[in-house]
Amino acid sequence: MRLLAAPAPAEEREWPRDRAPVAGTPDPRPQRLRRAAAAFGGRLRSAPLTLALLAGLWAVGAATDSLAHGPSERLLARVGVGLPTLAEGHWWTPFSSLFWCSGAGSYVFTSLLLLLVGPAAEHRLGRARTLAVLVAGQLAGTLLGAGLVAVGSRAGEQWTASVADQTAVGPGVGLFALAAVLGYRLTVLWRRRLHLLVLLVPLVMTLYVGHLQSVQRCAAALVGLGAGALLNRGRQHLRTHRSSHSETRVLIALCLVAAAFGPLIASLYDNATGPFNTFSELYLSHRLSPEEVADFCAVSAHDCARAHAVERIFDTPGRLMAALFPALLLVLAEGLRRGLRLAWRITVATELLWAGLLGWLYLDSGPDSGDVIQYFVEALLLPLLTLGLLLATRQRFRMRLAGRAVRRLGSVIGGAALAACAAYAGVGVLVADQFEPGANLRRLLHGLPALFLPPAYNDLTPDYPIAVGRVALLLETYSGLAFWVVTLSALLVAFRRPVLHTDADASARARALLTAYGGGTLSFITTWDGNHYWFDEDGRAAVAYRVRGTVALTTGDPFGEPEARERAVAGFARFCDARGWTPCFYSVSPQTRSAAAQLGWRSVQVAEDTVVALPELAFTGRKWQDIRTALNKAGKQGITAEWWAYHEAPRALRDQIREISEEWVSEKGLPEMGFTLGGLEELDDPDVRVLIAVDEQRVVHGLTSWMPVYENGVPVGWTLDFMRRRSDGFRGVNEFLIASAALGFKEEGARFLSLSGAPLARSGQGEGPTGLQRMLDWMGRVLEPVYGFRSLLAFKSKFQPEYRPMYMAYPDPAALPGITRAIGKAYLPHLTPAQGVRLMRRLSG
């Protein structure tokens, strides 16, 4: 792989002309696996405490014959911790429980957890502190967990009373506390994810499995989170809690995964006693015991046939229907992770349907009135909480599938449902004698809901016919299963495909027009999701816009054939007038401003583009001192620049890019801005080039992304969009990256490089300020501590750019309040009321 390397440290040297940007090439999978294995091995070799603890755990287990089934009852009574052993005065058990596990599965799980957490903790906390946190977390978690069980059992809580006599062992308690403390030493991205998992995993185990060890792990996680916050309270980066749109979606998807896996995990335990355990039976279905079958058969022949039918399901692939809801939620979680509005709507509908079915099943069983509260907690609370989370975060899910993809998905699912119903009802009529009682079309249609629901919900359709013959059994077993296999597969494929614009055809047409004829330095942002498109009658020019309220806000200048762009201003104005919208051209060039002025429109400067000419670029002379210094320091520290297409970059690099971006967003205190400012989603475009700065250990110190500016089908310039740096990385990384990009683009023959515009910031080299301009300048000063637009403009001055004003053109001053609101919603579509209050305080401070 050729790299953009930093030059030799000569102050006034003429820069070589043989250094051009090249695209990185992903390493072959075997090579990546070998590199990952080597890195993991190196990390283990540098973690002797982890290796010693792992070896000691297995050695003690082997010596006491505890690896297969855990410690014997006699040994457990001496080393396990619980209310019985503590009551007998075994004060050492919180510590001695650290050296054993409860069985083979627990040994494997604990070993994997230790290998994941231990080396990272030794590296970031130190060996002594790692050992101290592990032991202290074990002691605190076991004692607090046992105390909570004691309090609950004395208060008469049924679940805690059922585990009050249990005794537990395992270092997993201390490891969860260690993981919680470790999270405070990670980047913002991984701190949130680790803390969420540290809470969710033991909480799910507590609610569904309910064993004493789960309670202790949950208590240890809480202790670790509290202790970590105290130990790291002076760290500035821990005071921020804001997450990006994409990361918020990942966290919500993880919550949905936890809701799906809880009942699945509980189903693996024969003695699960968690407070939501009853819920898992309704969620998953359960196999009838011989005694339950006998009870049904004592009622009637029909009930007996139904009981045997349920039993037969668990002897066929039809048993997969028992896990229908978890499987559906897992697929929907992938759609939520990608921010799809369709996935959000299906998830909300699923939660509503699920809660309705549970309520119907509860009412159908005729429970005692005293069980209402218990049932609500055990069954309805989780879907209602999940529904509340989805509704509270609905603005995060704005990505839309192409209309063609949605129609195709609907056709596949609808066709599968129609085929399943036709097969069951149509063929069922032909073999009516293979059902008990005899089937006819009406009874078969009445039983269709049972075909598509888990067996636990069959009681909701008591009159459906029971299959007893071979063909009928095949219909009953595979019709619904086949439908759900097709449906889940189709959903997963649709969710995994690239997300396109609402109108994919218009988007493709606009991109082709932009590529062929070009536009302004910001015209490539017209390809971003969220835009609609207006084309002139001849299809020679286009305008990208988005509607906020009654304002049609454009994304930059018109683009297309140069002679058609000026006419596009008037054409778009007529288009908006016919629909009752107020047009507003935003971040446009003086040429578009002049065309709008001919219509009698007003304008105001809202930003300033900074353009660097490339043909004569040379970093010589005193004014380029800062740039040369950054390049020279990068060379001394072994930092190089590499070009990548984001979707082709190795996973390790993409993960670091997400970490750096998440850290940057979290520092703002307000949501990340959109509209003319790109984020991670905008990186994933094959025409966008990403330049990253990496050191010899493959640590990413910073990155920039560059959008093409086309003319006659080829890029003649490049515009800076995404720029992020690691907080503890090389200080001059931004200067290094921009300078490296400029040299590379120059060698490719590009004419200019645009460092883009900074909203609400200008150099003061333009026209004299009007009253409206003074207000915008004041807002830029007030928002400077939050978004740093003026600092960004000052930073760009290091590259000696040409300043080009960018304007907002509008038809009527009376529409300015509505236009202001539209621009605010475009830049901050996810602004919450609390964040709005903080913003107003800054404006009024």
Side-chain angles (χ1 to χ4, degrees):
M1 179 189 299
R2 292 182 57 205
L3 306 178
L4 283 170
E11 290 295 326
E12 301 292 335
R13 181 174 299 170
E14 180 68 23
W15 294 92
R17 297 182 175 272
D18 60 348
R19 191 185 307 125
V22 295
T25 303
D27 297 326
R29 180 177 293 273
Q31 185 176 348
R32 294 202 303 268
L33 292 177
R34 287 195 297 270
R35 181 181 296 148
F40 182 69
R43 181 60 63 90
L44 280 182
R45 287 191 295 272
S46 65
L49 176 61
T50 298
L51 294 177
L53 290 174
L54 185 64
L57 179 68
W58 283 84
V60 171
T64 57
D65 196 23
S66 304
L67 295 180
H69 304 290
S72 63
E73 292 186 8
R74 182 177 179 181
L75 179 60
L76 188 62
R78 298 290 298 173
V79 301
V81 60
L83 294 181
T85 57
L86 292 175
E88 293 177 5
H90 296 174
W91 54 266
W92 62 85
T93 54
F95 179 75
S96 62
S97 64
L98 186 66
F99 301 100
W100 282 269
C101 291
S102 57
S106 182
Y107 271 101
V108 173
F109 172 78
T110 302
S111 299
L112 293 176
L113 185 61
L114 181 58
L115 290 173
L116 288 173
V117 175
E122 289 189 59
H123 175 68
R124 296 182 180 271
L125 300 177
R127 296 189 184 97
R129 186 171 295 180
T130 296
L131 183 60
V133 171
L134 177 65
V135 175
Q138 182 80 12
L139 299 179
T142 53
L143 291 175
L144 179 58
L148 292 174
V149 170
V151 171
S153 60
R154 289 179 182 176
E157 208 286 322
Q158 182 179 358
W159 157 59
T160 52
S162 67
V163 299
D165 60 344
Q166 292 184 2
T167 303
V169 290
V173 178
L175 286 174
F176 272 94
L178 178 62
V181 174
L182 171 64
Y184 288 97
R185 297 299 180 94
L186 302 180
T187 59
V188 174
L189 178 74
W190 290 106
R191 181 173 76 242
R192 287 199 188 100
R193 293 182 179 180
L194 181 59
H195 282 172
L196 183 63
L197 290 175
V198 163
L199 275 177
L200 278 181
V201 171
L203 181 62
V204 166
M205 295 295 289
T206 299
L207 294 176
Y208 287 97
V209 179
H211 291 170
L212 174 63
Q213 188 178 64
S214 301
V215 181
Q216 293 173 342
R217 288 174 177 174
C218 195
L222 294 174
V223 169
L225 290 173
L230 291 175
L231 291 174
N232 297 278
R233 60 184 179 274
R235 293 176 178 265
Q236 178 67 31
H237 72 280
L238 297 178
R239 301 177 185 176
T240 58
H241 302 283
R242 180 68 194 167
S243 61
S244 66
H245 312 323
S246 60
E247 182 59 16
T248 300
R249 295 193 289 263
V250 170
L251 298 179
I252 294 172
L254 285 176
C255 291
L256 197 65
V257 169
F261 268 109
L264 284 173
I265 294 173
S267 67
L268 302 177
Y269 289 81
D270 295 331
N271 57 347
T273 59
F276 282 10
N277 186 45
T278 301
F279 178 48
S280 70
E281 294 181 357
L282 298 177
Y283 190 53
L284 271 175
S285 308
H286 68 285
R287 187 164 190 166
L288 298 177
S289 65
E291 292 77 12
E292 290 175 315
V293 173
D295 291 339
F296 279 111
C297 289
V299 176
S300 67
H302 182 66
D303 289 337
C304 185
R306 292 185 61 184
H308 284 292
V310 171
E311 277 296 280
R312 284 194 298 270
I313 288 177
F314 289 91
D315 295 325
T316 69
R319 68 184 306 172
L320 296 175
M321 288 289 292
L324 169 61
F325 281 122
L328 179 58
L329 291 181
L330 290 176
V331 172
L332 292 174
E334 172 63 16
L336 293 178
R337 183 186 69 85
R338 295 174 63 82
L340 293 173
R341 172 65 64 169
L342 178 63
W344 182 87
R345 288 174 175 171
I346 296 176
T347 308
V348 169
T350 300
E351 298 293 339
L352 289 172
L353 175 63
W354 181 12
L357 288 174
L358 290 173
W360 186 9
L361 189 62
Y362 168 71
L363 296 174
D364 185 69
S365 63
D368 297 332
S369 58
D371 295 334
V372 173
I373 296 179
Q374 179 183 355
Y375 182 86
F376 175 81
V377 172
E378 293 181 350
L380 294 180
L381 183 59
L382 184 61
L384 292 179
L385 287 177
T386 305
L387 183 63
L389 176 64
L390 291 170
L391 292 176
T393 57
R394 61 188 179 278
Q395 296 300 323
R396 307 287 182 176
F397 305 96
R398 291 178 173 269
M399 303 298 237
R400 299 178 184 273
L401 292 174
R404 183 182 304 172
V406 175
R407 290 190 294 271
R408 185 187 303 116
L409 178 63
S411 299
V412 171
I413 295 177
L418 183 61
C421 293
Y424 179 74
V427 180
V429 170
L430 300 178
V431 292
D433 58 335
Q434 295 188 22
F435 289 91
E436 173 62 38
N440 54 38
L441 183 59
R442 184 190 63 81
R443 292 178 63 84
L444 289 170
L445 293 176
H446 185 73
L448 283 178
L451 193 69
F452 299 105
L453 293 174
Y457 298 89
N458 289 351
D459 291 340
L460 300 180
T461 54
D463 295 331
Y464 77 95
I466 308 300
V468 292
R470 183 175 180 179
V471 176
L473 286 172
L474 290 176
L475 292 174
E476 185 178 77
T477 301
Y478 291 103
S479 296
L481 181 62
F483 163 77
W484 280 111
V485 168
V486 172
T487 296
L488 295 180
S489 300
L491 285 172
L492 188 59
V493 169
F495 293 162
R496 295 286 295 175
R497 284 176 177 168
V499 179
L500 302 175
H501 291 269
T502 304
D503 189 342
D505 294 336
S507 175
R509 183 183 173 192
R511 183 181 283 257
L513 194 64
L514 175 66
T515 303
Y517 299 104
T521 56
L522 292 183
S523 289
F524 193 81
I525 66 177
T526 62
T527 65
W528 293 355
D529 193 37
N531 288 318
H532 299 274
Y533 300 94
W534 171 85
F535 298 91
D536 66 2
E537 294 180 355
D538 300 327
R540 299 167 59 195
V543 173
Y545 68 95
R546 57 189 69 197
V547 179
R548 295 290 183 267
T550 59
V551 176
L553 196 63
T554 75
T555 307
D557 294 291
F559 56 93
E561 293 185 18
E563 60 272 14
R565 296 176 194 172
E566 183 175 344
R567 296 194 302 271
V569 175
F572 181 71
R574 291 191 297 270
F575 169 78
C576 293
D577 183 65
R579 286 156 179 79
W581 297 339
T582 300
C584 175
F585 280 88
Y586 188 79
S587 291
V588 296
S589 63
Q591 291 76 19
T592 302
R593 179 201 187 195
S594 298
Q598 296 177 12
L599 303 177
W601 289 20
R602 307 285 186 90
S603 62
V604 63
Q605 184 179 344
V606 293
E608 204 155 42
D609 196 6
T610 46
V611 179
V612 178
L614 295 179
E616 304 301 325
L617 179 66
F619 297 137
T620 58
R622 187 169 184 176
K623 62 184 179 180
W624 295 102
Q625 179 67 44
D626 290 345
I627 308 304
R628 290 197 304 273
T629 299
L631 289 166
N632 294 333
K633 285 185 176 180
K636 293 177 181 178
Q637 297 183 23
I639 294 175
T640 55
E642 296 179 7
W643 285 103
W644 290 95
Y646 181 74
H647 66 284
E648 294 179 351
R651 179 65 178 269
L653 294 183
R654 295 202 305 269
D655 286 344
Q656 291 188 70
I657 290 173
R658 291 181 63 88
E659 290 178 19
I660 294 171
S661 178
E662 194 64 27
E663 183 180 27
W664 183 87
V665 171
S666 69
E667 293 173 352
K668 298 303 177 184
L670 289 173
E672 61 179 324
M673 302 183 78
F675 191 28
T676 62
L677 303 174
L680 284 175
E681 288 84 359
E682 286 70 35
L683 287 183
D684 197 7
D685 187 298
D687 293 330
V688 172
R689 300 169 69 172
V690 180
L691 185 64
I692 65 172
V694 294
D695 61 22
E696 296 173 349
Q697 287 73 42
R698 306 300 294 168
V699 174
V700 178
H701 288 252
L703 70 146
T704 55
S705 73
W706 300 89
M707 304 180 296
V709 181
Y710 293 105
E711 186 177 293
N712 297 323
V714 295
V716 296
W718 294 86
T719 299
L720 174 66
D721 175 37
F722 195 84
M723 183 169 64
R724 300 284 191 271
R725 64 179 295 270
R726 189 181 293 275
S727 61
D728 57 349
F730 169 52
R731 288 185 59 84
V733 66
N734 289 337
E735 291 91 337
F736 165 68
L737 285 170
I738 294 175
S740 299
L743 291 172
F745 289 138
K746 175 184 176 181
E747 293 304 315
E748 289 183 349
R751 296 203 304 263
F752 63 89
L753 178 147
S754 169
L755 301 181
S756 193
L760 302 179
R762 62 193 188 102
S763 64
Q765 300 180 15
E767 305 170 358
T770 62
L772 178 59
Q773 186 68 66
R774 292 191 184 94
M775 185 190 74
L776 293 177
D777 292 342
W778 171 76
M779 290 183 65
R781 288 194 301 271
V782 172
L783 289 177
E784 173 64 21
V786 182
Y787 291 111
F789 296 136
R790 290 170 173 246
S791 300
L792 179 61
L793 187 63
F795 164 78
K796 294 174 182 179
S797 67
K798 295 181 179 181
F799 294 89
Q800 315 304 318
E802 173 191 351
Y803 294 95
R804 299 178 181 177
M806 305 179 75
Y807 298 94
M808 178 183 76
Y810 54 97
D812 185 2
L816 277 176
I819 293 174
T820 303
R821 288 194 299 272
I823 294 173
K825 290 180 179 179
Y827 273 115
L828 296 170
H830 306 293
L831 186 71
T832 65
Q835 293 160 350
V837 170
R838 288 201 298 270
L839 178 60
M840 293 307 297
R841 286 176 178 173
R842 288 187 180 273
L843 291 174
S844 60

